[in-house]
Amino acid sequence: MDRRSFVKAGCATLVGGSLLRSLPGLANVTPASYELTASEGVFSFDPKQPDATRVMFYNQSIPGPVIKIPQGKESVIQFHNALEEPSSIHWHGLRIVNAMDGVPGMTQALVQPGETFDYRFTPPDAGTYWYHTHQRTWGQLALGLAGVLIVEESHPPQVDQDFVFAVDDWRFNQEMQIDTESLGAMHDWSHGGRMGNMITVNGQIGKTYTVSKGQRIRFRMLNIANSRIMALRINEPQASVISIDGQPVKPYLLKSGLITLAPGQRSDLIIDITSDPDSISPIELLIKDQVYPVASFEIDNKIQREQLLDSPIALPDNPANKIVLPAEMKNIPLHIGGGAMGRMNKAIFQGKEMGIKDLIQNKQIWAFNGVAGLPEKPLFSVKRGTAISLNIDNDNVWPHAMHIHGYHFIDDRNPGELRDTALFTRQEKGSLMFIADNPGKWLIHCHMIEHQASGMLTWFEVV
Ligand code: C2O
Ligand code: CU
């Protein structure tokens, strides 16, 4: 199967043989300071193919380099913008000082072409996070500006190998270039967002992980796609979830190996490899009734150990886990309206009430509480320490991945875990609860990036 037929088939197919190579981005380094340069260039998603794809990337790698920083210590990440357009970097899921949150026009000025910005912060919580552009995200992210950030525990569970699995979704054209003509298409924005036709893991088509029978691996899974919800299946029966969106949970075994990650969401697993030597154990993406292998464990011919490890796999609690919600909380209703097949016929945009035709003229099709796009006034403004219950009513026929900057919240639909990004299916309701203890201006938006661009964006203030 050549690459064109990949595109035609609509999704990635497992490529035979090993495509494993050491990406510069996946090197194991732990510096106190880092440099990230965003630029345009060419990248090969399939190393066997000579033709390359025009992208935007960090340090010429897709995804950008895996940044590993220590928990509770200050790190500096120097961002150089070598693009021909302004940009910024947001550290998704990190509870850091507001000025470092990377939202242009709200927490910092745009980083103009040729400029440098130092991101300097101390992450309180260990875990798996990511970083991505927060400027014209629907375009810059679709072209590749994202990477993985790991905040390392001082006492991680003992594993034989620690892997990143960053799954992404790309829309390619027949020339194997990213389809930029359809960027900004209102049809995508009013439906489920931009869906691609090529799935990569760590920037590779058909990524393989070499493991041995009896090995214990940590598997850090991230969905860094613009809009595709990924339903994935791991075909190793001993796979346990140990963290969600970076925060430790009481470990539990995956049911039938199934795990769903909405855009922006992460999950760390501990997998004890039980497949036999010289076999292949695929990791599959499920789309409706179709199964697409997107990566695989290649079990080599060694046996690591006959008896599986039985040391504890639970992660040490993060400070985030210490959250205690009071009985009294400030209730903030958040109604989500709009989208294709919706009933929305008007909304306020930039202070003006507009009918649906004018909204579409302005590329707006979604509204929070009847307001499309970033309002001038915050959704709420509270004193530091106020307990918030954001009561979401997803009153439309589309799924949405609701992300709150700078916080982890308890979702009343799943109170045993903390999240920074929560999936709501059509017509679903749920409350996201947290203590507003970090001062500043913070965004709330849908992480289907096309929805964010076309209305699903608001903010709150903690003083
Ligand atoms: Cu990962 Cu404002 O987003
Ligand atoms: Cu959405």
Side-chain angles (χ1 to χ4, degrees), residues 1 36 41 104 126 133 149 168 181 252 316 414 418 435 452 456:
M1 201 181 196
L36 283 178
T133 172
L149 183 135
D168 205 345
E181 256 162 57
Y252 60 90
N414 241 327
L418 287 166
I435 313 266
Q452 173 193 343
M456 295 187 68

Side-chain angles (χ1 to χ4, degrees), residues 82-98:
L83 299 166
E84 277 161 19
E85 59 182 279
S87 196
S88 76
I89 303 182
H90 170 57
W91 313 93
H92 181 120
L94 288 189
R95 298 188 304 132
I96 52 176
V97 51
N98 190 243

Side-chain angles (χ1 to χ4, degrees), residues 323 325 380 386-388 404 407-409 432-436 460:
I323 177 172
L325 293 169
F380 58 92
T386 310
I388 301 295
I404 304 180
Y407 286 89
H408 276 79
F409 49 76
L432 312 182
M433 302 173 290
F434 60 99
I435 313 266
F460 64 100

Side-chain angles (χ1 to χ4, degrees), residues 172-248:
F172 278 30
N173 63 23
Q174 292 299 312
E175 280 71 53
M176 296 308 297
Q177 297 301 316
I178 293 170
D179 177 357
T180 49
E181 256 162 57
S182 67
L183 273 175
M186 212 49 206
H187 182 273
D188 292 336
W189 290 23
S190 61
H191 290 70
R194 180 178 170 93
M195 294 296 150
N197 50 18
M198 179 74 79
I199 303 292
T200 60
V201 171
N202 298 354
Q204 294 173 55
I205 298 164
K207 161 85 184 158
T208 63
Y209 298 88
T210 304
V211 296
S212 307
K213 185 176 185 178
Q215 268 190 347
R216 170 165 285 180
I217 64 165
R218 181 165 178 173
F219 206 51
R220 301 173 187 263
M221 303 179 77
L222 308 93
N223 181 351
I224 62 172
N226 275 46
S227 279
R228 186 186 291 284
I229 300 167
M230 307 272 189
L232 296 154
R233 182 164 62 204
I234 310 266
N235 288 282
E236 287 295 318
Q238 294 300 318
S240 299
V241 176
I242 59 166
S243 80
I244 282 175
D245 288 356
Q247 308 314 318

Side-chain angles (χ1 to χ4, degrees), residues 101-123:
D101 196 45
V103 180
M106 180 162 284
T107 67
Q108 68 169 97
L110 276 167
V111 184
Q112 296 294 339
E115 284 182 358
T116 287
F117 187 92
D118 283 356
Y119 289 98
R120 182 182 292 272
F121 50 76
T122 303

